[in-house]
Amino acid sequence: MPTLWWQRGAIYQIYPRSFADSDGDGVGDLRGIIDRLDYLVDLKISAIWLSPFYRSPMADFGYDVADHCDVDPIFGTLEDFDRLLAESHERGIKVVVDFVPNHTSSEHPWFVESRASRKNPKRAWYVWRDGRRPNLPPNDWLSSFAAVGRAWSFDNVTGQWYLHSFLPGQPDLDWDNPEVEAAMHDVLRFWCERGVDGFRIDVVHKIAKDPLLRDPLPDEPVTWENWEPTIHERLRRMRAVVDEYPERMLVGEVYLLDLERVLAYVNTGDELHLAHNFVFLHLPWDASAFRSTIDSFEALSSQSAWPAWFLANHDHARVASRFGAKQARAVLLMLYALRGTPFVFQGEELGLPDAEIPPDRVVDVDGRDPERAPIPWRPPSEDGAGAGFTTGRAWLPITPAAEELNAERQAHDPGSTLALARRLADLRMAEPTLQSGEQRSVEGGDDLLAWLRIGDDDRQLLAVVNFAEDERAFHCPPDLRRTARLEISTDPARNHGDFALDDLRLSAAEALIARL
Ligand code: GLC
């Protein structure tokens, strides 16, 4: 089965502020990314997804967009972006950009106009309402950021409240207004015309809201059926816009902890191509939990739906910190060997842990600084405190693990996590069975997650992950072939070559791929 570009290899998430700083101001930028593209070539990634680099006051570090069609000076210029795009394409790397449709910055000219007076033509572009009573917001909705509290702020000039699902500096657009939808479609066209290959859609499940703005009441639950169909209609129209251009891809941040609802965004084939699955991200480190989520995803998928797997991004603690260093290696193997597109957040290929952020360096309102710490490219002992990320003072502290886990050191160590990530990518690129083969669950025993990938000419690859902290024997089911050849193990001590599946024992947190 031929694969599309977004199905073949991994999509690598770049958080531009923390990837590479080319001008010494301590914040990463587009030129820094260009300088590091060959590192991504060695990782054989299919595409980069860039978190926002648009003009922004940076209240939410770029997710508060003040101009969707320009680059913030801290990251460079539109010319830099065009060069990044051209240099990526030259290397066979596609470019996916973040699209933030639910809200803008309060400094976006649309909102500046909207808040100027109740009669302003842009008033109806945002969600303005009267309070229930003086000093009481229209309802009790809360911001997604706990520290913010309620999702409404009162505007003294016009005497009304506006909705912000995140910071007060991120007013929600009113997608019920067709002018808003048309303006956001123009943003998609702007970037498609420039040549981007796809969009990651920020909080896509929020682009329609209960039209009555009801609070959930215990005896009268507000159910999503009232407005989610509207989101799907809006997504179909977005898809139609990107389908005006060839081979563009939409991946959505569908932050719903309900697989059935998540799959509704990809199952019909005319909405998203991929959905980030947060049910998967929130799983405990437990083989049966992973088993049932993977199997339910497959069971609920339509024929055409394609899975996407990720366990880390710029909003969540890193895998090495959540589950452990060995487990972070096992996760990489899992992402590359499952049927679907792997998403790798920058630094996961290095097995980085979260950085420690002293109280006086905290900058994010929602506690997400540790996973956003800069990438250590070189040993601090050789390159100074900036670890090859910057010659200046990094905007967030560099992880203390930089000396051991920097990219340069790992590139020369065949046992490193980076070396493992490269071998996984090589295997996936060389082996169509990993890209597009069928997938079948295998019962291999307690604490083991195992699955087969079956390709053309009955080529078979077996993947096994040991979730236990100690050794586990693989109980080979009777219908499996008995001999195997090791392709990759996360345990550098494992011998290569042929072995009998009946004798297979996995070491603590080991994961492997074997050819049957
Ligand atoms: C998404 C982003 C997150 C941001 C929020 C508001 O969840 O991933 O970083 O803060 O949307 O845009």
Side-chain angles (χ1 to χ4, degrees):
M1 191 173 69
T3 47
L4 297 159
W5 67 260
W6 42 269
Q7 300 175 317
R8 236 166 267 147
I11 299 184
Y12 183 90
Q13 182 191 354
I14 293 182
Y15 191 72
R17 295 184 68 88
S18 301
F19 192 63
D21 171 24
S22 72
D23 60 6
D25 66 358
V27 178
D29 46 47
L30 298 183
R31 287 176 182 220
I33 300 172
I34 297 171
D35 294 342
R36 295 286 176 187
L37 280 177
D38 289 330
Y39 171 81
L40 302 176
V41 170
D42 291 342
L43 269 173
K44 294 205 169 55
I45 58 154
S46 288
I48 49 178
W49 146 31
L50 299 165
S51 278
F53 48 81
Y54 313 112
R55 268 189 195 272
S56 164
M58 303 290 165
D60 192 18
F61 299 105
Y63 282 95
D64 47 327
V65 179
D67 183 346
H68 297 95
C69 300
D70 201 3
V71 174
D72 194 274
I74 205 153
F75 297 123
T77 61
L78 267 178
E79 288 67 42
D80 292 332
F81 179 81
D82 289 341
R83 227 189 94 213
L84 170 56
L85 196 59
E87 298 241 5
S88 302
H89 285 168
E90 259 169 44
R91 291 168 174 81
I93 296 174
K94 304 278 186 184
V95 177
V96 174
V97 299
D98 226 297
F99 175 60
V100 188
N102 175 69
H103 46 269
T104 67
S105 162
S106 54
E107 293 181 24
H108 195 294
W110 297 343
F111 189 72
V112 172
E113 281 194 47
S114 185
R115 81 186 319 174
S117 86
R118 292 198 189 198
K119 296 223 168 62
N120 190 287
K122 291 274 185 321
R123 185 69 172 179
W125 282 41
Y126 293 85
V127 186
W128 291 99
R129 294 286 185 281
D130 293 328
R132 275 171 290 183
R133 286 200 301 276
N135 297 324
L136 251 199
N139 66 18
D140 291 331
W141 289 359
L142 294 175
S143 158
S144 297
F145 299 144
V148 171
R150 62 188 175 200
W152 297 93
S153 284
F154 187 71
D155 180 60
N156 279 320
V157 178
T158 55
Q160 279 191 311
W161 300 77
Y162 69 89
L163 178 67
H164 49 83
S165 296
F166 297 91
L167 293 171
Q170 291 168 296
D172 282 37
L173 285 161
D174 189 347
W175 273 74
D176 290 338
N177 183 336
E179 290 177 15
V180 166
E181 185 165 350
M184 292 310 282
H185 286 178
D186 285 345
V187 173
L188 292 172
R189 288 196 185 93
F190 175 87
W191 291 104
C192 284
E193 296 289 339
R194 275 202 118 75
V196 310
D197 302 287
F199 300 91
R200 175 267 189 183
I201 312 180
D202 192 65
V203 292
V204 61
H205 55 289
K206 282 189 182 283
I207 59 165
K209 301 180 169 80
D210 180 2
L212 300 176
L213 304 185
R214 282 164 298 184
D215 284 323
L217 297 170
D219 50 342
E220 189 199 324
V222 175
T223 54
W224 54 270
E225 284 95 338
N226 293 327
W227 64 90
E228 218 155 64
T230 314
I231 299 185
H232 293 291
E233 286 160 25
R234 288 174 187 166
L235 264 180
R236 272 182 214 117
R237 293 196 287 267
M238 257 189 227
R239 171 68 176 264
V241 171
V242 298
D243 280 351
E244 293 166 11
Y245 306 84
E247 288 216 355
R248 301 307 203 268
M249 184 274 293
L250 294 179
V251 52
E253 184 197 23
V254 188
Y255 212 134
L256 301 170
L257 299 179
D258 172 339
L259 281 183
E260 223 163 307
R261 284 173 70 193
V262 173
L263 274 152
Y265 286 72
V266 290
N267 267 348
T268 54
D270 58 357
E271 298 184 40
L272 297 174
H273 297 91
L274 300 172
H276 281 144
N277 175 354
F278 286 85
V279 177
F280 194 66
L281 180 132
H282 283 285
L283 292 175
W285 188 248
D286 175 80
S288 54
F290 275 76
R291 163 90 299 133
S292 70
T293 300
I294 293 165
D295 289 349
S296 320
F297 190 94
E298 290 271 327
L300 293 167
S301 293
S302 71
Q303 270 293 318
S304 63
W306 185 258
W309 303 108
F310 82 114
L311 281 175
N313 71 10
H314 62 295
D315 295 328
H316 294 278
R318 286 190 176 276
V319 174
S321 295
R322 270 166 35 216
F323 297 141
K326 282 187 184 149
Q327 287 79 354
R329 293 165 68 88
V331 162
L332 280 173
L333 185 140
M334 194 185 326
L335 299 182
Y336 277 89
L338 282 170
R339 178 180 168 273
T341 301
F343 277 78
V344 177
F345 175 48
Q346 65 180 41
E348 290 296 298
E349 78 283 10
L350 301 171
L352 289 183
D354 289 336
E356 285 153 37
I357 312 292
D360 63 332
R361 301 283 309 266
V362 169
V363 289
D364 180 48
V365 65
D366 203 35
R368 299 167 295 180
D369 298 325
E371 60 266 24
R372 296 176 177 182
I375 297 298
W377 292 101
R378 295 183 27 84
S381 57
E382 287 168 29
D383 209 83
F389 164 72
T390 181
T391 53
R393 182 175 194 258
W395 74 289
L396 281 174
I398 308 270
T399 171
E403 195 62 40
E404 189 201 343
L405 296 182
N406 67 80
E408 189 184 84
R409 205 195 66 69
Q410 293 203 39
H412 296 112
D413 172 4
S416 70
T417 302
L418 177 59
L420 170 73
R422 287 179 177 170
R423 274 186 288 129
L424 285 167
D426 290 347
L427 180 63
R428 183 164 168 129
M429 283 333 219
E431 180 49 83
T433 305
L434 278 185
Q435 296 171 30
S436 56
E438 293 302 311
Q439 177 164 301
R440 212 181 82 201
S441 287
V442 170
E443 274 310 324
D446 284 352
D447 295 323
L448 296 183
L449 177 71
W451 65 99
L452 265 188
R453 299 297 306 277
I454 305 163
D456 291 343
D457 305 325
D458 204 26
R459 290 162 79 86
Q460 296 194 3
L461 290 167
L462 174 72
V464 190
V465 181
N466 177 11
F467 278 69
E469 291 285 353
D470 44 25
E471 197 180 83
R472 282 287 179 279
F474 177 70
H475 299 294
C476 187
D479 58 338
L480 236 55
R481 296 174 187 167
R482 310 318 276 181
T483 52
R485 166 168 299 166
L486 187 76
E487 287 286 348
I488 292 185
S489 163
T490 59
D491 182 350
R494 175 166 298 276
N495 289 330
H496 278 257
D498 294 342
F499 62 95
L501 266 189
D502 290 301
D503 299 338
L504 176 60
R505 303 181 73 82
L506 288 100
S507 62
E510 183 188 7
L512 56 78
I513 301 174
R515 190 176 299 278
L516 305 193

